[in-house]
Amino acid sequence: MLSRFIVFGCILVFVKSQHVQYKVTISSDDEFNPDDRVSVAIYGQAKQTDHKELQGIYDKFNGHNEATFVVSAQDVGPIKQMKIKRVPNGPKEDWHVQKITIRDPKGNTYEFMCKCVLSKQKGPEVTTTPINIIKAAQEAPSPTETSPSPSTPSPSTNKPTAGVGSSSPPSEQPTGKKETTSKPTNEPTENPGATKETSPTAGATVITRTDLPTENVPYSCF
């Protein structure tokens, strides 16, 4: 039995820890009865809260046109609509509400231009949708000190020229000329004292010696 109470208590603590806080601000220039009870319900896209009664509303509105209340409820995500309900307990039946704003846990503000009258005759509750949504301001990133970027050395203008201060010899440029080699010819060496005569036979050449004496040379006999 004791273990059941412990488990039940843990569940309640877990559920309560999932609650978030909404700030509800109501603007009204009308008075109402000290014993009137006012509650609000917040509706999200998939979830909604129960009616949460606004504690001490008479004291906060006494002499003021605006009052802010903190409502603890489950997170419903982006707010789609809200409902305000009044239970009058006194001679004054009508209560005029001008504007309602709700600030969610993320800092987004939803504005509801209610301009309604809550009374027994006209209806004790009104459902309204936001006419404006003010997104929470995003924090600007803190400036970080930036270290100066290393300077890039400028390229040197003193470039070595070819053939000066260089150990390697300049490369030879091709001249475009081709070397010619002499080929030996098989033609016989001509004697300066010989003359050429053309033979009747086609393609034959006869060489006649002209440097020999024409006189009869005596032959000696041994």
Side-chain angles (χ1 to χ4, degrees):
M1 187 72 178
L2 181 60
S3 61
R4 292 182 180 178
F5 281 107
I6 294 175
V7 172
F8 182 73
C10 292
I11 294 175
L12 290 179
V13 171
F14 176 76
V15 172
K16 189 175 182 180
S17 64
Q18 299 299 316
H19 283 190
V20 296
Q21 290 184 341
Y22 294 91
K23 289 185 177 181
V24 181
T25 301
I26 301 175
S27 300
S28 174
D29 55 359
D30 196 6
E31 296 181 355
F32 55 95
N33 304 308
D35 295 332
D36 288 353
R37 298 173 59 186
V38 179
S39 62
V40 295
I42 303 171
Y43 295 80
Q45 186 171 3
K47 299 178 181 180
Q48 68 181 53
T49 68
D50 299 330
H51 273 275
K52 301 293 182 178
E53 186 175 350
L54 305 180
Q55 301 294 332
I57 187 171
Y58 177 78
D59 295 334
K60 290 186 176 184
F61 268 110
N62 190 11
H64 301 86
N65 295 332
E66 187 177 275
T68 301
F69 307 88
V70 177
V71 176
S72 179
Q74 65 174 337
D75 190 358
V76 298
I79 300 175
K80 300 302 180 182
Q81 62 182 14
M82 63 89 57
K83 183 182 293 185
I84 183 169
K85 181 179 180 180
R86 170 180 175 252
V87 180
N89 290 315
K92 191 171 187 344
E93 295 186 356
D94 299 340
W95 183 44
H96 298 265
V97 178
Q98 299 296 330
K99 181 181 177 180
I100 301 174
T101 61
I102 299 178
R103 185 174 181 179
D104 67 5
K106 296 182 179 178
N108 303 318
T109 301
Y110 299 79
E111 296 181 348
F112 302 85
M113 193 59 64
C114 187
K115 291 186 177 182
C116 57
V117 178
L118 300 177
S119 64
K120 290 182 179 180
Q121 289 78 13
K122 297 181 180 181
E125 63 182 16
V126 172
T127 302
T128 179
T129 57
I131 62 169
N132 188 26
I133 301 175
I134 303 174
K135 295 291 185 179
Q138 303 237 346
E139 296 182 0
S142 59
T144 57
E145 296 182 0
T146 57
S147 58
S149 58
S151 59
T152 304
S154 60
S156 175
T157 57
N158 299 327
K159 295 183 179 180
T161 57
V164 180
S166 177
S167 60
S168 60
S171 59
E172 296 182 356
Q173 300 291 336
T175 59
K177 296 182 179 180
K178 296 183 180 180
E179 295 183 357
T180 58
T181 58
S182 60
K183 297 182 180 180
T185 59
N186 296 328
E187 297 179 358
T189 306
E190 297 181 359
N191 194 339
T195 59
K196 293 182 180 180
E197 292 183 1
T198 305
S199 175
T201 306
T205 301
V206 179
I207 300 174
T208 306
R209 298 292 298 273
T210 60
D211 57 342
L212 298 177
T214 57
E215 298 178 356
N216 295 328
V217 179
Y219 295 92
S220 58
C221 299
F222 295 95

